[in-house]
Amino acid sequence: MVTYLDLINAMVRRETAILGREKVGKIVAKAGLSIGEDGKVAVPKGMEKQKLEELARSFYEECGDITLIGCRILVNRLAREGNLKLPDILKF
Amino acid sequence: MRMKYEEPIEIAENTYWVGHYDEEAGFHCNPYLIDDGEEAVLIDPGGITHYPHVLKKVIRAVDLDRIHHIILHHQDPDLCASTPRYEELINHEVTVYNPLRASFFIPYYGIKSRVVPIRRDGEALVLKSGRRLEFYLTPFVHFAGSMVTYDTRSKVLFSSDIFGAFSFDWSLYARDDYLEAVKAFLEPYVGSKKALENVARKLEQLDIEVIAPQHGSIITDNIPEFIQALREMDAGVYLE
């Protein structure tokens, strides 16, 4: 079953390919999160949906529309699989 | 070691990347030049904003008057718009190769050269040396009139937008996670999975050693995996 944490990790992986590790690391840290050695983000339980929105907003604010264009289809597909509601910033 | 992006960079024998590296940009264009002795071929020369940088590199690589052919893989400004400037500088007629369905649009850039519309897969530009550049149509990836060029001598596929990518953290050659960047670019710009599958089917028939896309980075490793990924990718209207 797809979870919000899966969405966060998919988005971070995608943004890393677009923006590079360094930039993404800074944005993730700004949201109070960190990326582990396995490339996955640790998120406090219950905060996943909120952090997904925060991260999407930060990617957009730091690096513009390309970040959202580049991950929307991926995130929407996963959300559909998991029957998860997305924050407006990630919707089409 | 950082590559000398200020110079033309040879990506295969006598085949050069002549693009402009803009460190601030999240999107990079890759014009290429094939120097085949008596004749040179300019591939997707680029837009107006990069033109002075690209021209400088083209001149470093070849005498402009050796350029006899310009290949335009579709009709977008980021690859076509500077073509009339080259026409002004080259002291003889050049021939432009462009997919039939795109060829109705490129005259609006002011392109005056004779245009050879590519109608079928396998049509080719055969240079005086015998080198054969084959064209393969890739409809709706991303424009209705799109194609790629396969150099049968160097085994370089000039793939246009296919395998292009968004990349703030750009390098001329693809890094480990490049496929993810390709997906970020193709998913929102290609209309359907069927169009991607059609392209995959065609590319699987070619013996490709290097993929040189018009955006993003050059691919030299795991080429079959990249082609297979086209079959598995989500695309455009999938969710909208």
Side-chain angles (χ1 to χ4, degrees):
Chain A
M1 186 66 174
V2 178
T3 65
Y4 282 108
L5 186 58
D6 294 327
L7 266 58
I8 288 174
N9 280 313
M11 184 167 70
V12 166
R13 185 163 170 243
R14 178 63 55 91
E15 300 301 345
T16 302
I18 301 171
L19 304 174
R21 259 175 238 287
E22 204 183 317
K23 224 171 225 171
V24 169
K26 281 182 189 165
I27 292 170
V28 169
K30 230 174 159 180
L33 304 171
S34 61
I35 303 174
E37 275 180 22
D38 59 355
K40 296 205 167 152
V41 183
V43 182
K45 240 190 153 73
M47 301 281 284
E48 293 90 345
K49 190 177 175 188
Q50 182 193 324
K51 290 296 178 188
L52 175 68
E53 181 168 4
E54 266 180 57
L55 278 175
R57 206 164 290 286
S58 297
F59 284 127
Y60 170 70
E61 283 166 6
E62 296 281 334
C63 299
D65 282 307
I66 282 178
T67 58
L68 297 180
I69 290 171
C71 78
R72 261 202 193 104
I73 288 181
L74 168 69
V75 171
N76 274 263
R77 178 175 58 76
L78 289 173
R80 190 175 276 193
E81 279 173 30
N83 201 21
L84 300 169
K85 270 192 132 179
L86 283 174
D88 285 348
I89 192 164
L90 285 168
K91 286 181 187 163
F92 282 108
Chain B
M1 194 182 73
R2 189 182 186 277
M3 300 190 88
K4 281 190 178 171
Y5 291 130
E6 304 75 24
E7 301 288 331
I9 295 176
E10 194 169 22
I11 62 159
E13 201 180 339
N14 298 324
T15 302
Y16 299 89
W17 171 84
V18 288
H20 171 53
Y21 173 38
D22 178 352
E23 291 190 38
E24 301 301 313
F27 198 45
H28 293 86
C29 297
N30 298 323
Y32 300 98
L33 181 75
I34 298 173
D35 177 5
D36 197 52
E38 216 176 311
E39 296 170 292
V41 183
L42 189 54
I43 299 175
D44 294 339
I48 296 298
T49 49
H50 289 186
Y51 166 70
H53 306 281
V54 175
L55 175 65
K56 211 183 287 178
K57 287 177 192 172
V58 170
I59 288 171
R60 273 185 205 162
V62 298
D63 177 342
L64 279 182
D65 279 342
R66 282 209 280 129
I67 297 175
H68 288 265
H69 312 278
I70 297 178
I71 295 172
L72 301 174
H73 284 123
H74 54 284
Q75 87 311 335
D76 276 349
D78 56 332
L79 61 100
C80 294
S82 66
T83 305
R85 308 249 175 136
Y86 287 96
E87 288 177 327
E88 283 168 15
L89 294 175
I90 296 169
N91 291 311
H92 56 78
E93 278 204 8
V94 296
T95 306
V96 169
Y97 303 82
N98 188 232
L100 175 66
R101 280 188 254 178
S103 66
F104 306 113
F105 299 95
I106 61 167
Y108 291 99
Y109 291 110
I111 293 171
K112 294 186 179 74
S113 302
R114 181 172 77 94
V115 176
V116 174
I118 304 304
R119 298 163 193 272
R120 287 187 184 85
D121 290 340
E123 287 182 14
L125 158 59
V126 182
L127 300 174
K128 284 181 184 164
S129 70
R131 187 177 195 152
R132 187 178 165 85
L133 306 180
E134 293 180 348
F135 304 115
Y136 292 88
L137 298 169
T138 59
F140 302 103
V141 183
H142 67 91
F143 182 62
S146 299
M147 67 179 190
V148 297
T149 301
Y150 177 63
D151 182 345
T152 56
R153 184 169 296 172
S154 65
K155 299 186 177 179
V156 175
L157 177 78
F158 299 95
S159 67
S160 186
D161 279 349
I162 303 163
F163 306 114
F166 290 131
S167 44
F168 281 83
D169 192 24
W170 182 83
S171 59
L172 183 59
Y173 285 94
R175 298 199 189 104
D176 288 351
D177 61 354
Y178 186 65
L179 181 55
E180 195 68 23
V182 168
K183 289 178 184 173
F185 178 61
L186 287 185
E187 282 177 1
Y189 280 95
V190 176
S192 78
K193 278 179 81 70
K194 272 194 176 171
L196 286 169
E197 284 164 7
N198 183 44
V199 170
R201 185 180 53 77
K202 294 184 186 195
L203 299 188
E204 279 160 358
Q205 311 303 314
L206 303 175
D207 178 17
I208 301 166
E209 288 185 0
V210 176
I211 295 176
Q214 194 238 330
H215 301 291
S217 304
I218 294 169
I219 301 164
T220 54
D221 295 323
N222 304 322
I223 286 170
E225 285 173 38
F226 275 88
I227 294 171
Q228 175 60 24
L230 296 176
R231 293 185 180 279
E232 293 156 8
M233 231 173 264
D234 294 317
V237 292
Y238 179 73
L239 289 161
E240 290 177 76

